[in-house]
């Protein structure tokens, strides 16, 4: 493979507050390849949500998420990560993108996990999340790999408050997943768990997937395949995007406004 | 059951153009029960889409669809129909509603069909639709009932242009669904097919479900169960809505603005 | 919709004893629509079974159940409910009926539940019932919605003996279904549970479906669609009925004799 | 294994006409083991059906089928075959029998086929049969083995009229099943196809299962396991039969009357 | 059926140690039919494994297992049993055999169990086994019959050390399978459990399948169908074997060397 | 991420002939990352097979495949690719490896495809392959993504003979997969298709996955995660390897002998 040019990855925090952008960016910087440029963006949304614990909140940002994807698609982003374990709007973004490869943490984590274990469990924040994330797992084909989903009874935004507490609870839930549900590997079911996988892995003795790392690595791999082998999203049948002319007719020109904050690392 | 009070149904055309509101309203008037008040609304959306043929367009209106549901939930709507066969935002609307029962044409049509046939086919407008509608069917549990989905190669907006042409194509596709795929009943896979089922049914000799009728009747039934037996959406686990205080904090007060046009029949 | 004419519903208690006919009729009277005429019938069967806890007993009445359906089909019944949560002979009755829409409590309850929750549990009388009712749920496509089936260790005939005891046990099993199995709604898995749902619902805070109500409302809805839109059972492929001439040849003329007792409410 | 005593097999033609008893008996005689005594019986039923092409007809004989099973269970029958490829009342008969092992042609044929091929097709008489037989296949776990079901457009009773015609049609449908659906073996989907498998097998070059042989051999095997190792039907949970006392209370004593005709071979 | 000639069954202990051959042979002698000749063989393998608890060990003997099957196929073996509950190389042996019918304990036991119960559990030696055996069950179509797999925490080779201890543990695990998982029958999930089923069955009151017996009886039945009705493995599509000439080209002539030890009973 | 050290990938051609090693190595050289060292090896096997078109042939090399994996595991190989689209011995190699990450083309290709399309088809060489590859797809969870498998009726070894012919046939089969089966992307179902994807992609206008590229890129990604984040195969439950001492006891020391030929690129 010829010398690769720089790879441009966009990591989207799909909330309307910028405060995760820098810490997430710093976490990504530590794990990105040398040749990767990562841009962390969050949304410019009317509703100033700082979490996506509810379908309602998701529904309010999905339009902006897709616009951010489209903005990247026409501005040279090689791969975009939708930075939430619900993988919201994943199929929508893929439909609209003809150049940018779109990746999401739940699918990416499960793809990695399926390479190292036959059964895995997901440690989620709240019971509330289980039904929807299970539906995602099944859509991706990973229903048969799921040993269980287990909750630690914490909201997404509390996961980084006291990481010792969070880690302890993950270890407790993870141990039950291994012993009672026969999990062979664990996935941390929220991108806000960044920085925690190592300690859990050491303590429990099974592989523990950090979705931030899994998603970034998947994005880098697909982006490098895009550059070297013209890998691109399908635009056939269910993947067919609308025509540019119709989109213009409907007034979808100001895509840039959907981006609230940008934080660039390289 | 005591004399039922008036039932209030909201039919939402989830597009940002009002031109279907009156014809859809007239069609609904013909099929609504005596005691039903139907309000047809469409969206006040930045992007002036007149169709939802693409996931992109859906993503742009989902937030408004859910707001319209929430607006109805706090203003006495007994049941709301999301008037598109993709059933977009159905689980989202159900999460946010604590009073209003939310119904959608694909689920409603398949529930009716499962009472009269063991296998049915859906006649869709375009091949593009099939993957996403099949996913819906499988989520609702109807994957095993599906004989096939067959396309007539027409966009949603063209279905009412020349209803003779549309009907002919449906009959052609329906005949193949019956003869080759062994369908025992047919579902017209778009709410814009209103007014066409009867002729197809006469011609082909199998039951043909009009999703507009199925959804309205389901909405009336559930609404009457709400009034008489306090039937309500679950708000447990995956159905738990956000708190009112948090919603206010995020600035979700101006729900009414999501409604673009209203057309009332009774 | 034009003024609806009276709707004729037949509720069949598929046992060979009349003692449930009046109490079930009184319960139905309380929940039927104003324009609905409900006729409760039980079977004239050689074997005088008062329960269907065993497949053996079911097999002994299935022939009579289908005859009662056929009798109604030729005598103007708009919709018939097979009043047992096993939904016995449902596909058989649907095959033979060309006018009457046939409904059963398990399918009807699950269809209602799928409109208000993503996961539900069924509270059954005995562990014995679980395998067969799960098979029914899966045939209807509701396997993925099932959080669990939980037994209260009571026979069908004992459910109405001391309704306080029954209610307490349902509440106990229902609480476990919610807390341990993550049910978001409950279905009472026997038509003999009539009159109990409200207290359980108040106590547990999730929707509780009474199968008697769900089945009657579904029957009323389908019957009204029959009158207004000529909705009818499919008679294509697997739904094809035998010819009248062959049935006569086999001596199936005395359909009326299959009915043991009739109790009419209106 | 010590010298086996004689094995008693009952083959039930679940129709109310005796005319298949002798030819079926002669066919069975040719394939039974030396130590097997086969009794062919048909039903004493009010309705004189000579076929089970409709669910309605099945429903009318199911009670008698189960009574015949119970009669055999208390009178030393080692194994009973329900001689129809719909396997009607199979779970019901198994529930009621505590000694007799109950076997049916569809399950038996598919079990044999799963030992010699990874994919098989069933050649059925009419499209009408496909949905119900597919449901059976799925209940038995063989949905994944099914390459297809293909119809030869003949009723069950016509299969033995001109066996040359029948064989030709089976060969034609079987060839399509192999070439287009990639079947690796064929099952003849009706017990009335007896005597035809060999010619089809020679012509098409894949194994062809005669359900009469498969069911009898399975019955002999299970019966020998009963005699030698006390193999018996489970009577736990869903397999629990009613108590003798209750059955007597309901008047189920005259089991013998359910048998219309007997034809004994040995 | 004409007088059957002697049936030749090969039981392969797929390990590279001969010490199970005689005890397994004696156990088989007790349960074989009068006319059955059983030859017990083990492998001549470089690696002297005495167990198959690991996929690694299986991979090392699979080639020899298939050679032993082929050796039998050309030397008049009617049916071969692969004597390990993992059913290793089952599809491979079936592909290569054009005469010998190949049977394996897991598939055979589940086929027998599906004739006597609607739900069964498998009692395995170690949790390690569960994932792979569940995969087997699902391939055979028995995923839906599985109530559970429960471990007694013993290696395969320890099962015959102190059969009282083994039996006690099986009873303990089996009781939990019945009471908590609602199993209606049990399968002993290792061929080394021979001789133990009866006591467990008496103690727990549900049918208990010994895989050694189930596999031998299945082999006898299929072998008798081979002799009487020319039943043979399919060699179409996925079942197609390589040509003899190509096999010779690759040097696969010394099949006999794969057999390490032979123990003949009759 | 700190500067990555060199990544060592082993590509195993699981046949016993060296003639693919150099051409495959040259193809890999063109697509490998700058920092990747690729070693192409083939087997030292008694049977000199040059193809794996039959399960028999696979069974004969599986033991050697696993030994080569183990040899790499103790000698610093970061990731190994099993270079055959049947993904033979994948779970076995993963069990035995505690350091090396094991990747295979079918799983890798489908994981890539699931990031760019909702439905894909696999173009296989022969109908013979379909059943086994479909089973693999289902094990990996990709059954629901499969639009179809279509054969071009060529053996693996003929694919590189006249690449123009091969490409033409792939285009023909691919076009049918797109038009008739609604595939949105294609996977070339044999590693011997290297070098062909581009022309097919240009001609058909949908993404075409070359399994050689997909597997190598997946191996590089996982290997980099191993180096940077200690990603390792699980060794819990079904992934537990045998102890070193037991392996020595069984004489598994001469792992190196399983390697026949080595071809190193970097």
């Amino acid at each position: 493979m010829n010398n690769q040019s720089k790879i441009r990855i966009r990591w989207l925090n799909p909330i309307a507050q910028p405060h995760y952008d820098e810490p997430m960016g710093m976490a990504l910087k530590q794990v990105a390849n040398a040749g990767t440029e990562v841009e962390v963006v969050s949304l410019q949304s009317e509703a100033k949500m700082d979490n996506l614990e509810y379908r309602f909140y998701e529904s309010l940002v999905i339009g902006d998420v897709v616009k951010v994807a489209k903005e990247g698609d026409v501005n040279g982003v090689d791969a975009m990560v939708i930075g939430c374990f619900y993988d919201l709007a994943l199929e929508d973004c893929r439909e609209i993108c003809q150049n940018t490869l779109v990746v999401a943490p739940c699918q990416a984590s499960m793809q990695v996990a399926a390479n190292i274990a036959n059964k895995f469990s997901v440690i989620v924040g709240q019971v509330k999340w289980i039904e929807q994330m299970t539906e995602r797992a099944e859509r991706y084909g990973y229903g048969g790999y799921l040993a269980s989903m287990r909750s630690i009874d914490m909201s997404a935004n509390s996961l980084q408050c006291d990481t010792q507490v969070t880690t302890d609870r993950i270890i407790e839930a993870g141990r039950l997943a291994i012993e009672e549900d026969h999990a062979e590997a664990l996935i941390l079911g929220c991108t806000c768990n960044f920085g925690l996988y190592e300690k859990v892995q050491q303590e429990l003795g099974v592989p523990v997937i950090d979705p931030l790392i899994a998603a970034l690595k998947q994005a880098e791999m697909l982006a490098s395949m895009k550059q070297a082998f013209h890998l691109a999203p399908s635009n056939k049948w269910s993947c067919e995007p609308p025509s540019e002319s119709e989109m213009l007719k409907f007034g979808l020109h100001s895509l840039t406004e959907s981006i609230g904050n940008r934080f660039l690392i390289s």
Side-chain angles (χ1 to χ4, degrees), chain A:
Chain A
M1 209 161 83
N2 1 10
N3 246 359
Q4 294 149 274
S5 51
K6 220 167 192 34
I7 280 174
R8 286 188 56 201
I9 308 275
R10 173 175 286 176
W11 181 282
L12 169 61
N13 285 330
I15 52 173
Q17 298 281 359
H19 55 268
Y20 273 117
D21 297 350
E22 186 172 338
M24 206 72 100
M26 299 313 292
L28 289 164
K29 189 187 176 89
Q30 288 187 303
V31 301
N33 284 338
T36 303
E37 181 188 291
V38 183
E39 170 197 38
V40 182
V41 306
S42 52
L43 300 170
Q44 173 65 30
S45 175
E46 219 181 328
K48 291 295 165 200
M49 274 104 58
D50 63 2
N51 75 74
L52 295 170
E53 305 255 344
Y54 299 92
R55 284 179 181 271
F56 185 19
Y57 296 170
E58 286 185 276
S59 76
L60 293 169
V61 297
I62 279 181
D64 291 323
V65 167
V66 185
K67 280 185 196 165
V68 171
K70 184 69 191 159
E71 197 273 349
D73 190 56
V74 297
N75 287 305
V77 169
D78 291 310
M80 183 180 100
V81 179
I82 302 164
C84 170
F85 202 81
Y86 276 129
D87 291 11
L88 72 165
L90 181 57
E91 289 81 15
D92 312 57
C93 292
R94 284 177 177 163
E95 178 196 74
I96 203 66
C97 287
Q98 299 188 271
N99 307 293
T100 303
L101 294 151
V102 187
V103 168
C106 175
Q107 189 180 34
S109 299
M110 290 184 179
Q111 289 197 345
V112 170
N115 279 282
I116 56 169
N118 296 313
K119 291 278 171 192
F120 50 76
S121 286
V122 180
I123 309 301
V124 299
Q126 307 202 59
V127 173
K128 161 88 182 168
W129 308 0
I130 292 176
E131 188 270 336
Q132 193 178 343
M133 287 182 183
T134 302
E135 189 200 9
R136 283 278 96 189
E138 284 169 357
R139 168 158 178 110
Y140 301 143
Y142 291 112
Y145 282 83
L146 269 187
S148 61
M149 296 220 177
R150 281 195 177 254
S151 160
I152 56 169
D153 205 14
M154 293 177 75
S155 70
N157 276 330
S158 64
L159 293 170
Q160 290 287 339
C161 294
D162 181 338
T163 58
Q164 184 59 51
V165 169
T166 309
T167 306
D168 287 351
R169 291 216 194 161
I170 291 172
I171 287 169
E172 188 186 8
R175 185 167 282 130
L176 289 170
I178 295 165
E179 293 308 321
E180 299 196 0
D181 312 326
H182 296 156
E184 300 166 357
L186 300 177
I187 295 173
L188 303 185
C190 184
T191 46
C192 294
N193 283 310
F194 59 84
L196 308 182
Y197 80 95
E198 267 191 301
K199 198 154 172 205
V200 182
Q201 193 165 268
Q202 280 161 13
E203 183 70 23
L204 295 177
V206 301
V208 178
I209 311 285
D210 178 333
L212 180 143
I213 297 176
L216 183 69
K217 291 296 139 186
Q218 186 98 351
E220 287 177 333
M221 180 187 78
L222 294 172
S224 80
M225 293 177 77
K226 169 177 179 272
Q227 292 195 350
F229 317 111
H230 310 299
L231 185 78
S234 174
N235 55 24
K236 191 72 189 168
W237 303 128
S238 78
C239 300
E240 183 200 345
S243 67
E244 293 295 322
S245 61
E246 198 184 63
M247 284 194 277
L248 284 174
K249 190 183 96 186
F250 292 150
L252 305 173
H253 22 61
S254 56
L255 296 167
T256 324
E257 293 170 13
S258 55
I259 299 180
N261 185 56
R262 287 176 195 256
F263 179 84
L264 193 74
I265 61 168
S266 62

